[in-house]
Amino acid sequence: MASGDHVCVGLQSLREAGWQGAWLLPLSAEAGLRSGLVVKCGGSLLGRPDWPRLLGGLLAACEVPVQLMIGGGAVVEGLRQLDATCPQPAARMHRLAIAAMMVTARMVAEELRLPMLSEQASAIGEQGVLTPTDWLASGRFDHLPASWSVTSDSLAAAVAAATLQPLLLVKSVPPPSDAGLTQLAQAS
């Protein structure tokens, strides 16, 4: 997982930090880790009691600023169950799911003592937790549908593509084997 003079996270560093694996999706062969790295952490990982140690270890292993996108986890799954029981308009559920991602993002930011990053802060390579509501409000991702097809993976991929940074997916399950950054960002 090296690029130029920077090494973000080697497999041994990941294992020492308690991770079984992660998937690095470079923007292109030429894209390096010059300005930083977008790391998408699956919300289901927040159900582990050791998640603060794991994420802290991951951040410590990186030699560049990390911008975390936190999935909604159980909070969003609760919304999915409510929608299945009493279907709601897709745009409403999308807004609620993004709001739920803010809950998990704030929890991670507070626990790890990281700032919440607006779109502007993300663009200049600061380290912290991404604010999905700011990114969506910016209008840069109006091409993404307001539906369940847009996941935290696709939002993180869209941020990585917009900021010309690689994306590291840290999940409990691997992404589709044929999924690249562009496919995840399009979320279709």
Side-chain angles (χ1 to χ4, degrees):
M1 291 191 212
S3 178
D5 295 333
H6 299 291
V7 176
C8 177
V9 181
L11 290 178
Q12 188 60 36
S13 295
L14 280 173
R15 287 191 185 98
E16 288 170 3
W19 296 99
Q20 294 179 349
W23 298 268
L24 182 65
L25 302 175
L27 182 63
S28 69
E30 296 80 35
L33 299 175
R34 296 178 298 272
S35 62
L37 176 69
V38 175
V39 175
K40 189 280 180 167
C41 176
S44 64
L45 295 172
L46 300 178
R48 293 180 54 137
D50 58 347
W51 72 261
R53 181 185 62 78
L54 291 172
L55 279 180
L58 179 64
L59 292 171
C62 289
E63 297 175 0
V64 295
V66 171
Q67 298 171 357
L68 290 169
M69 174 70 73
I70 308 299
V75 181
V76 170
E77 286 309 310
L79 288 172
R80 284 184 196 273
Q81 290 175 1
L82 291 171
D83 190 37
T85 302
C86 182
Q88 300 292 309
R92 177 182 300 155
M93 295 312 294
H94 177 74
R95 284 191 312 273
L96 291 171
I98 298 303
M101 285 177 60
M102 286 298 299
V103 170
T104 58
R106 286 184 200 282
M107 182 179 77
V108 169
E110 288 180 17
E111 180 67 26
L112 298 180
R113 296 186 175 97
L114 294 170
M116 294 293 292
L117 298 178
S118 67
E119 178 194 10
Q120 293 80 17
S122 301
I124 59 173
E126 292 184 30
Q127 180 158 297
V129 179
L130 294 166
T131 308
T133 51
D134 286 357
W135 278 91
L136 288 172
S138 74
R140 293 175 79 174
F141 304 124
D142 287 348
H143 65 283
L144 296 174
S147 71
W148 286 117
S149 67
V150 174
T151 65
S152 53
D153 285 357
S154 56
L155 290 175
V159 169
T163 58
L164 302 177
Q165 296 180 96
L167 171 65
L168 178 67
L169 295 176
V170 181
K171 301 170 58 76
S172 55
V173 296
S177 61
D178 60 345
L181 189 57
T182 303
Q183 291 81 13
L184 285 172
Q186 291 171 346
S188 53

